[in-house]
């Protein structure tokens, strides 16, 4: 009864997998605000050219630099667990496996791309990185990566999160990063908002605007901006998750996976686990691949597939994606990482092609699943991750009904030790389910009307 | 450049190491309040007999049950890291290794004995465990173990910690444990204190009294008490740490360790790493073995070696140990796990025998070391663990001065993600050094006067 499968250092994947060349329909090109295609060099003030090359690459396999591998090796390869205790509790004939990304020092999958992005920026001669963060997971991961790679990191954190989650700021500072509440007085974008709305709680859109502004206006040319999800190169760096899993399953002779599950906000942890299996599906394998989102922010299940901006301030290119509209303000559910209005273009493309099948879940079912998981498997998962756990339990129950010994795999994208307030509110009965009403959806997607269509 | 050494499942140690039979001077027997030796069956209402047997065992090697190994395998063997980045930062010729116990789901070494104790209790037919917790690390670990083994867990948490650290309570509840503030209205001991001092902040002593009372007064006989440090069987279960390290060092051909370091409150993480090396020292090896404590609670470096109670309420037997006196109330430094008035009898015996050399450090040096460590090695350590990091840095600097390529090993006993308030206060300049004044020491050790001497 092998509860855990590990890999040796020499078994780590040496290449990332890029889904872009394998999508049945090629990804539509990102557009500028004028509706014309964005060229790589238009992105040069924002990102270093080596990452822009990855962003637009049509190569299926991209080498992972040895130095990046050495940094990832500090906590990777991560373990693959067999959830015997959960299976027994559910009385299911299904085998449930989970990939444990919570063992990284910041506690989630985010450092997989933070380390890679920091390293490529350093290679390109960059000295400072800026970014934004909502709940704080991405900001923490980038501060961690900055410490290991040797780059300054400045994180604009949405003011309301900054006030409500002071520990995230302390984490970033301990790793040497700077974390300031957004809007701030340090940028034009921030000052403008502060003048108009001194008491604003801030938003991810404002924070993105500030972080991009700081990167592109640094006259030394030594500052760049980073993003922790959505973009193609972020999905690419995360595929080490699924590529490791394939080797781990092979080691124990598990030749066939029936269901692959990940929660999806911007899409990166889902893509990281799932894309190597999407590749198998494109090549004929029968696999149900399920990205899971909250019913309160139903980007994949109810929003249109269209061009939209990545941020409310329209600083980013227009990206082809499922989107609730760049001005969408989701209700304050606790899974902060799943509150994004859009979805990664590669994930969106895979949905559009019918390769993956999104599912929306309510938060009470997710917390119930997370508590069941903690009491059987012993790991307290992040509120985001609870969506993957809940979908895995749904699939295991379905397998029980059907009497099938299915193989179910999900991504345990992070632990919940920094997010216990959500559990507390769940235990105290303060949480309620909320599905986005149709009229809210219609209202929020109005901003898409004047934009280019797909 | 191997930054991490891992072990396979089949390389896990199959036996724990018991230092008791190897101490040059045998441990003095614990005494009852009447000054007469305690016999094993006098402990039977408190602990199950299989653990009492381990507590008094003179066997050098004790088999780890296969089922315990399978539970530990969920996160063990833990990695051994080489701190190349820290070495480079310090410019030291020393090699620094650290054992990473922070990767367990509760985030510290505590589950090593929590799992074992829960399993032995279950084997003995016990259904419910009680315990006390101060800062909450032990209570969390026992709740985790209760979930995996299938036992009810009730934790009496010192009221002031209960109020100041609400997240620890939520962790325990998520794992299915009950956590209540002590003093409580549920025990005679608690009611008595509440009548006399309704506003008391509580103390570890009161919480121990409540937990023991609940265990021994349960008429079903299905409840027992557990302790997370100090006792011999706890030290025993933790030796898997050092035994794994020895195999890991052997794997990379590192044949000689010069310095072994662990922080020590009750003594368990230090003992877990160090005792297998104390064995080598008894057999002729030259090793400096250093337990590190805070200067504010200088049990090992300034207190007498004597018989004392383990708790302020005198519910425990009299144990032979270094002790500041069972009524000692340490100042509120942040390393909550290092604030105990006594020291494990086995650790105390090793000090008395000259096998290990304790050291006391100030908290500002420890936080400075922890921040250096986070910014080089990427792991944010617990405030307790920062004492081990600081001592390792002292030794690495000494090696630099001496121009010696020493091998330094320390125990990274836990991460600090649940204790970031201490880092915040450090960054804000609110922390100060404090050494226990001589007159305070004399006052606190006065309670020892009427007790049996060693």
């Amino acid at each position: 009864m092998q509860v855990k499968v590990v890999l040796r250092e020499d078994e780590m994947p040496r290449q990332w997998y890029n889904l872009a060349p394998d999508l049945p329909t090629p990804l539509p090109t990102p557009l500028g605000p004028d509706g014309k295609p964005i060229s790589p060099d238009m992105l040069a003030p924002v990102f270093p050219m080596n990452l822009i090359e990855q962003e637009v690459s049509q190569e299926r396999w991209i080498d992972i630099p040895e130095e990046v591998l050495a940094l990832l090796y500090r906590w990777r390869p991560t373990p693959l667990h067999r959830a015997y205790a959960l299976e027994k509790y559910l009385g299911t004939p299904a085998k449930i496996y989970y990939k444990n990304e919570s063992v990284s020092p910041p506690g989630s999958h985010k450092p997989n791309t933070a380390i890679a992005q920091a390293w490529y920026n350093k290679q390109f001669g960059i000295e400072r990185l800026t970014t934004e963060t909502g709940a704080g997971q991405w900001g923490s991961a980038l501060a961690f990566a900055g410490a290991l790679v040797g780059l300054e990191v400045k994180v604009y954190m949405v003011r309301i999160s900054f006030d409500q989650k002071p520990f995230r700021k302390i984490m970033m500072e301990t790793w040497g990063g700077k974390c300031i509440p957004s809007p701030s007085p340090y940028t034009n974008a921030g000052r403008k908002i502060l003048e108009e709305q001194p008491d604003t709680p801030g938003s991810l859109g404002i924070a993105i605007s500030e972080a991009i502004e700081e990167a592109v206006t640094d006259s030394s040319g030594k500052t760049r901006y980073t993003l922790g999800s959505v973009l193609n190169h972020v999905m690419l760096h995360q595929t080490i998750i699924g590529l490791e899993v394939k080797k781990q399953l092979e080691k124990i002779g598990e030749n066939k996976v029936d269901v692959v599950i990940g929660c999806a906000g911007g899409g990166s942890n889902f893509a990281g686990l799932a894309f190597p299996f999407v590749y198998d599906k494109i090549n004929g394998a029968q696999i149900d691949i399920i990205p899971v989102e909250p019913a309160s922010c139903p980007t994949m299940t109810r929003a249109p597939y269209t061009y939209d901006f990545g941020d409310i301030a329209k600083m980013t290119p227009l990206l082809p994606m499922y989107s609730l509209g760049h001005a969408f303000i989701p209700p304050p559910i606790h899974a902060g990482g799943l509150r994004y209005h859009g979805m990664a273009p590669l994930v969106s493309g895979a949905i559009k092609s019918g390769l993956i099948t999104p599912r929306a879940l309510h938060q009470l079912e997710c917390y119930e699943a997370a508590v069941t998981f903690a009491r059987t498997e012993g790991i307290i998962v992040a509120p985001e991750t609870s969506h993957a756990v809940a979908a895995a339990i749904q699939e295991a129950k379905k397998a029980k009904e059907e009497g099938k010994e299915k193989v179910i795999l999900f991504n345990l994208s992070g632990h919940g030790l920094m997010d216990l307030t959500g559990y507390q509110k769940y235990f105290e009965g303060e949480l309620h389910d909320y599905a986005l009403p149709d009229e809210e959806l219609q209202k929020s997607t109005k901003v898409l009307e004047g934009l280019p269509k797909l």
Side-chain angles (χ1 to χ4, degrees), chain A residues 89-262:
Chain A
Y89 173 84
L90 297 172
T92 178
K95 299 185 198 174
I96 306 174
Y97 293 93
Y98 56 96
K99 180 69 164 169
N100 187 357
E101 291 293 303
S102 76
V103 296
S104 76
S108 80
H109 68 290
K110 291 284 186 193
N112 296 332
T113 185
I115 287 285
Q117 290 190 50
W119 187 86
Y120 279 105
N121 271 283
K122 179 98 174 177
Q123 284 294 108
F124 196 70
I126 299 305
E127 293 169 3
R128 293 174 71 244
L129 299 177
T130 67
T131 198
E132 76 291 328
T133 199
Q137 302 222 25
W138 168 243
S140 307
L142 194 68
F144 163 78
L148 296 194
V149 172
L151 287 173
E152 284 180 49
V153 169
K154 190 163 177 183
V155 180
Y156 288 89
M157 185 167 182
V158 176
R159 177 178 289 277
I160 187 164
S161 298
F162 183 91
D163 292 339
Q164 286 175 352
K165 304 196 172 195
F167 293 124
R168 282 287 177 189
K169 172 183 175 257
I170 307 169
M171 274 178 90
M172 295 181 225
E173 287 183 351
T174 304
W175 277 312
K178 282 204 180 64
C179 174
I180 53 176
S182 165
S184 80
Y186 310 121
T187 64
N188 289 327
R191 279 188 294 270
K192 185 159 176 289
I193 299 276
L194 283 176
E195 268 169 37
E196 292 165 6
Q197 311 170 45
D199 297 327
T200 176
S203 74
L204 215 45
I206 300 167
I208 292 176
S209 306
E210 291 203 277
I212 295 180
E213 181 186 323
E214 174 156 352
V216 301
T217 58
D218 176 5
S219 57
S220 77
K222 300 290 191 190
T223 303
R224 289 295 183 279
Y225 167 74
T226 59
L227 198 65
S229 193
V230 180
L231 299 179
N232 299 348
H233 66 275
V234 179
M235 307 296 126
L236 178 78
H237 300 156
Q238 294 292 359
T239 58
I240 194 168
I241 300 171
L243 294 167
E244 282 183 6
V245 168
K246 287 186 145 189
K247 293 194 171 198
Q248 287 165 312
L249 291 172
E250 194 184 320
K251 264 199 160 180
I252 53 169
E254 196 72 81
N255 301 313
K256 174 80 176 74
V257 174
D258 299 293
V259 188
V260 175
I261 297 167

